[in-house]
Amino acid sequence: MLKLKTFVLESVDELKNKVSWPKYEELQNSSILVLVASLIFALVIGLIDLGFDNAMSWFYNAF
């Protein structure tokens, strides 16, 4: 039990005093970057899926 208490206390101390938290502006910029990258990734995957769907439909309708 003592080890668990020590672990929790050291973890709280590290989060308060040793972790460098980002500024609000940095957090906003990172969030926007993640949002834009996710949208681009979703668009690319959607286009690949659409192309694959069309190719498979053409293949199955050909036979």
Side-chain angles (χ1 to χ4, degrees):
M1 192 66 176
L2 182 62
K3 287 184 178 183
L4 180 62
K5 182 180 176 184
T6 304
F7 172 76
V8 170
L9 290 175
E10 288 178 357
S11 297
V12 169
D13 179 56
E14 186 168 346
L15 287 172
K16 284 184 178 179
N17 301 318
K18 295 181 182 177
V19 172
S20 60
W21 297 99
K23 303 282 187 257
Y24 183 72
E25 295 81 22
E26 294 173 352
L27 192 61
Q28 271 186 321
N29 290 337
S30 296
S31 298
I32 290 171
L33 179 65
V34 168
L35 179 66
V36 169
S38 297
L39 290 174
I40 291 172
F41 186 70
L43 182 64
V44 168
I45 295 297
L47 289 173
I48 291 171
D49 183 53
L50 182 64
F52 186 72
D53 184 45
N54 288 337
M56 294 305 290
S57 294
W58 171 81
F59 180 77
Y60 286 130
N61 289 332
F63 298 105

